[in-house]
Amino acid sequence: MVPSVGARPSRILQKIGRPTVEVVIVADAKAGGELIAGAMAELLRRKPDALLGVATGSTPLPVYQALASMVDSGAADTSRARIAQLDEYVGLPTDHPESYRSVVRREVLEPLGIGMDAFMGPDGTAEDVQAACEAYDRRLAEAGGVDLQLLGIGTDGHIGFNEPCSSLASRTRIKTLTEQTRVDNARFFGGDIGQVPHHVITQGIGTILEARHLVLLATGEGKADAVAATVEGPVAAVCPASALQLHPHATVVVDEAAAAELKLAGYFRHTYAGKPDWQGI
């Protein structure tokens, strides 16, 4: 018997829990950004010094913009928030405008009024890259772990820089970028692929899965096949994001275009519409 929505939240969650992967279909990227920013703001109300894991790229920008607007209006308080980086280029100076540390500073920290003292990321300039990877894993654990990790997804289902056939138990490590990824990223380097590093440090899938809440945002028809494989396909290394099915609290937020290939779209709409407001995502 399903408890009534008037029952205590903790009691309901003990009895019926959460779906392994909750899929929320929104109208567009702006709506997705506002929904996720609202979840971050609520997390910070409960835990002001929460550690937020952030991703780079164009997809998560609506999240950061919506959260910054909430901070400006007084609806969210990020004064004690901490930020953790998902990945970083190897060999790129930290002050290079396209190092992910610089991107996070520009797109996340400064708009949210968060200082570099509350930031942590892997050292892509280290002489011993493997040691730097292991050190970052330890630092995340010593910080108490990531409370909410925001993720994007590639058209091939990759998360972070965990390309297809990455180990689902992988830890933070060095990865070699595929030629296509370097071609795709050349637009950030003036169109010159020669300026794009060949290697990155990325949190591994096993590391990512240790965050308390995983939130993946996908927008656009180009992500539709990857989204369907992530939530409706088998858990398989060929689609790294399918590992979210193994997590006890994973949320996939998609716009209409990215939801186009979901066979269970009607079910996802129905279950989300029936959730009590207090439960959030």
Side-chain angles (χ1 to χ4, degrees):
M1 179 177 177
V2 177
S4 71
V5 296
R8 291 179 61 186
S10 59
R11 184 65 57 81
I12 292 180
L13 293 179
Q14 289 171 6
K15 289 180 176 291
I16 63 177
R18 290 181 180 269
T20 301
V21 177
E22 178 181 34
V23 179
V24 183
I25 302 172
V26 295
D28 52 30
K30 182 175 184 291
E34 291 173 347
L35 178 68
I36 297 170
M40 289 179 168
E42 176 57 32
L43 169 61
L44 291 168
R45 279 190 282 273
R46 299 193 311 268
K47 185 178 181 181
D49 64 344
L51 181 56
L52 304 177
V54 298
T56 54
S58 58
T59 298
L61 288 178
V63 177
Y64 308 141
Q65 291 163 357
L67 187 57
S69 294
M70 295 181 72
V71 170
D72 291 342
S73 69
D77 181 2
T78 57
S79 62
R80 294 173 56 193
R82 298 171 296 152
I83 300 295
Q85 195 171 326
L86 185 62
D87 40 39
E88 181 58 277
Y89 286 117
V90 170
L92 208 61
T94 56
D95 60 353
H96 189 288
E98 295 308 323
S99 75
Y100 288 141
R101 182 174 298 236
S102 292
V103 173
V104 169
R105 181 190 299 116
R106 190 166 62 241
E107 297 179 349
V108 182
L109 300 178
E110 292 176 356
L112 297 179
I114 299 173
M116 286 299 293
D117 58 333
F119 167 83
M120 62 183 69
D123 184 1
T125 65
E127 289 188 14
D128 188 337
V129 178
Q130 181 57 38
C133 294
E134 294 170 2
Y136 189 49
D137 252 14
R138 287 195 302 272
R139 190 176 179 195
L140 290 173
E142 291 165 358
V146 175
D147 291 292
L148 185 154
Q149 176 65 58
L150 180 61
L151 299 166
I153 186 171
T155 56
D156 58 1
H158 76 255
I159 49 176
F161 276 109
N162 296 286
E163 301 285 357
C165 292
S166 292
S167 166
L168 301 186
S170 56
R171 309 300 304 176
T172 298
R173 67 208 190 286
I174 185 171
K175 292 287 288 183
T176 300
L177 296 181
T178 65
E179 191 70 6
Q180 185 58 56
T181 297
R182 295 184 68 238
V183 168
D184 291 344
N185 287 3
R187 68 187 189 277
F188 300 115
F189 294 83
D192 183 2
I193 189 174
Q195 298 299 313
V196 182
H198 286 268
H199 299 95
V200 292
I201 292 175
T202 184
Q203 286 188 35
I205 297 173
T207 306
I208 291 170
L209 290 175
E210 289 178 352
R212 294 177 181 85
H213 185 190
L214 299 179
V215 181
L216 188 151
L217 175 62
T219 56
E221 62 183 357
K223 303 295 178 70
D225 288 336
V227 167
T230 294
V231 301
E232 294 180 343
V235 176
V238 72
C239 178
S242 67
L244 268 67
Q245 295 182 40
L246 302 173
H247 197 277
H249 189 186
T251 307
V252 175
V253 179
V254 293
D255 66 0
E256 293 288 351
E261 297 300 319
L262 290 173
K263 296 180 176 63
L264 298 177
Y267 167 75
F268 296 135
R269 294 181 200 276
H270 175 74
T271 54
Y272 183 68
K275 288 183 68 174
D277 291 341
W278 53 259
Q279 195 173 11
I281 60 171

